Amino acid sequence: MAAPDVVVSTEDKLALFTRHWSPKVIAEANGWEVKLVKVAGEFVPHEHADVDEIFVVLAGELEIRLEGRPDVCLRAGELFVVPRGVVHQPVARAECHLMLLEPGGVVNTGDSGGALTARDEWI
């Protein structure tokens, strides 16, 4: 676990794994986790009924398909907050690196489950 006064290199942490759609926790503050994830292709449509989810694109481009709303396209250096209860589907046409900010214990696939469901793993 990263202590509050330790510098964490996102580049160094991203170099430690290759698997897509498998978020890795790199820090925690006030019950919120900071996660890094590499993505490519389409993720499962899902929602988080009780939590907002923050996506920050570090490298590449990400489309977030939103049910009942216009889709959002993000480039490196941009972020978007998916409001709680909104069904969303992240899609990356090429590998994309993301930082996710969300309360600890949030399941990446929401209630959808499936093979892409990941458990919290610290790196």
Side-chain angles (χ1 to χ4, degrees):
M1 178 187 293
D5 58 349
V6 174
V7 175
V8 176
S9 166
T10 56
E11 287 184 22
D12 290 350
K13 294 293 187 179
L14 283 162
L16 296 175
F17 66 97
T18 58
R19 186 170 174 218
H20 293 139
W21 304 112
S22 183
K24 308 297 183 203
V25 182
I26 62 166
E28 186 272 340
N30 302 312
W32 278 68
E33 293 177 340
V34 178
K35 300 177 181 179
L36 296 178
V37 63
K38 293 179 179 180
V39 302
E42 295 185 1
F43 196 61
V44 60
H46 65 285
E47 68 178 304
H48 305 284
D50 300 319
V51 248
D52 300 330
E53 187 175 26
I54 302 170
F55 288 79
V56 181
V57 177
L58 302 174
E61 295 183 8
L62 181 74
E63 176 184 355
I64 303 176
R65 297 176 183 160
L66 301 164
E67 185 175 86
R69 300 173 185 224
D71 297 343
V72 173
C73 293
L74 302 172
R75 291 182 175 83
E78 297 180 327
L79 73 82
F80 181 75
V81 179
V82 176
R84 65 192 73 199
V86 173
V87 175
H88 56 286
Q89 180 184 26
V91 176
R93 297 193 190 326
E95 185 172 88
C96 178
H97 298 171
L98 306 174
M99 180 182 294
L100 303 175
L101 304 156
E102 55 198 16
V106 169
V107 177
N108 66 329
T109 55
D111 292 335
S112 296
L116 294 177
T117 299
R119 59 184 174 88
D120 281 350
E121 181 181 341
W122 281 81
I123 60 167

